[in-house]
Amino acid sequence: MNDPDWNHIRAFLATAETGSLSAAARQLGLTQPTLSRQVAALEAQLGVLLFERLGRALALTEAGHELLAHSRKMGEAAQGLSIAATGQAQSIEGTVRITASDMTSAYILPPVLQQLRQRAPKLTVDVVAANDIRDLMRREADIAIRHVRPEQPELIARLVQEATGHFYAAKTYLERRGRPSSLAELADHDFVSFGDAERMIGYLVPLGIPVTPGNFRIGSNSGLVAWELVRQGFGVTPMSDEVAAAAPEVERLVPGSDAITFPVWLTTHRELHTSRRIRLVFDLLAEFFAER
């Protein structure tokens, strides 16, 4: 038997992990008929049935389950090869993917991206604005800006800033509801949630703000949407002082209260850090945050 074609194995792996041919085709940038032919070719070469249909869904057969673990190892090896090759690239061209929260992407990064464009005009930058933690090990991004330090030994991280924040609300909201004179009085106000309200409650209560789910009547998992709701007068939220400084319609609450501090970590893969273009972007970002 000839060795299976890697493209066919990759098609099988994507289909197994996504659960459908259409989703796998989108992930790999193929048409669904092409991907289906690749899976069928692998089945024919191996002489086994890898999937069975359950209604509109696909389910792995027993043989498919057994081969999936081996396919994943091959996928990890291919990703490692890609990382190593990228690390050796010394041209200031190509694409660098930076992932950060939507708020950081929209309000913090543009000035440094202007500097980067001037310094490396042939470089293409893809900003992946996402509030979940993207996986650098799977090459979903080359550089991540995070508020938590990664634990994987294959990643390197640099603490580049201790950012500050306070509680803010729109002046129009405060004119209607009054201005709280203490953190405890914030519990008498409406809050706009960023993502999960229960997580925000778990953070706010230890600060001496006895909020309950009743304080959170509106919110969004999009930071941009939630902040716009605050600016439009829907309620109170904690926010980075740097972001809030660009919104004259909002007002900082409880003057004299201690700042909320949160770290900014810059992270990349160890081998990618040897790439000239990624090193350039990493160092420029580190310098930019350290100066703020």
Side-chain angles (χ1 to χ4, degrees):
M1 180 185 297
N2 293 328
D3 292 335
D5 188 317
W6 162 243
N7 289 323
H8 298 169
I9 297 172
R10 187 179 64 157
F12 161 66
L13 181 59
T15 304
E17 291 184 335
T18 61
S20 76
L21 292 169
S22 57
R26 287 193 299 271
Q27 183 183 94
L28 298 179
L30 302 173
T31 65
Q32 185 172 331
T34 297
L35 184 129
S36 181
R37 285 194 298 270
Q38 290 181 351
V39 172
L42 181 62
E43 290 179 322
Q45 184 175 11
L46 298 177
V48 296
L49 185 65
L50 299 173
F51 296 100
E52 58 182 353
R53 287 200 170 273
L54 298 177
R56 294 186 176 182
L58 288 177
L60 283 167
T61 62
E62 184 176 347
H65 277 292
E66 186 172 343
L67 294 176
L68 180 58
H70 298 289
S71 299
R72 282 178 173 153
K73 289 179 181 178
M74 294 182 68
E76 291 169 0
Q79 289 166 5
L81 178 65
S82 176
I83 288 172
T86 303
Q88 296 303 313
Q90 295 304 305
S91 172
I92 309 297
E93 299 180 12
T95 299
V96 175
R97 294 180 181 86
I98 304 170
T99 184
S101 71
D102 52 4
M103 294 295 291
T104 297
S105 299
Y107 291 107
I108 306 297
L109 288 184
V112 70
L113 296 180
Q114 290 283 9
Q115 296 177 33
L116 183 58
R117 172 169 287 183
Q118 294 175 5
R119 190 173 299 186
K122 294 184 179 180
L123 193 67
T124 299
V125 178
D126 181 13
V127 178
V128 184
N131 294 323
D132 59 333
I133 296 179
R134 295 285 157 150
D135 191 349
L136 298 184
M137 301 299 296
R138 295 179 65 87
R139 297 302 308 278
E140 294 175 346
D142 299 312
I143 298 172
I145 301 166
R146 297 175 173 171
H147 297 308
V148 293
R149 183 174 187 170
E151 298 180 352
Q152 299 96 323
E154 296 86 354
L155 302 180
I156 58 173
R158 185 187 301 180
L159 179 63
V160 293
Q161 186 185 34
E162 287 284 356
T164 63
H166 288 84
F167 291 94
Y168 290 88
K171 295 173 183 177
T172 54
Y173 170 86
L174 297 171
E175 289 166 2
R176 295 195 316 268
R177 298 291 301 274
R179 288 168 171 79
S181 59
S182 67
L183 291 179
E185 287 186 12
L186 287 173
D188 298 325
H189 288 264
D190 298 327
F191 273 75
V192 176
S193 64
F194 279 68
D196 183 61
E198 289 295 333
R199 291 184 62 185
M200 287 192 68
I201 292 171
Y203 171 77
L204 295 173
V205 170
L207 295 179
I209 308 171
V211 289
T212 69
N215 292 93
F216 295 84
R217 299 299 185 187
I218 194 167
S220 174
N221 61 358
S222 163
L224 294 174
V225 172
W227 182 232
E228 184 62 27
L229 292 172
V230 173
R231 295 170 64 185
Q232 294 290 336
F234 282 87
V236 176
T237 203
M239 178 49 62
S240 156
D241 292 328
E242 186 172 4
V243 171
E249 66 274 20
V250 303
E251 181 178 315
R252 186 175 130 185
L253 306 181
V254 195
S257 61
D258 292 338
I260 302 166
T261 61
F262 51 96
V264 178
W265 290 93
L266 204 58
T267 306
T268 190
H269 196 281
R270 287 188 182 277
E271 293 195 45
L272 289 181
H273 204 37
T274 64
S275 164
R276 191 178 173 199
R277 68 173 182 271
I278 294 177
R279 182 62 182 261
L280 170 69
V281 177
F282 188 95
D283 289 346
L284 188 60
L285 287 169
E287 180 183 341
F288 171 76
F289 279 103
E291 290 176 349
R292 303 184 82 73

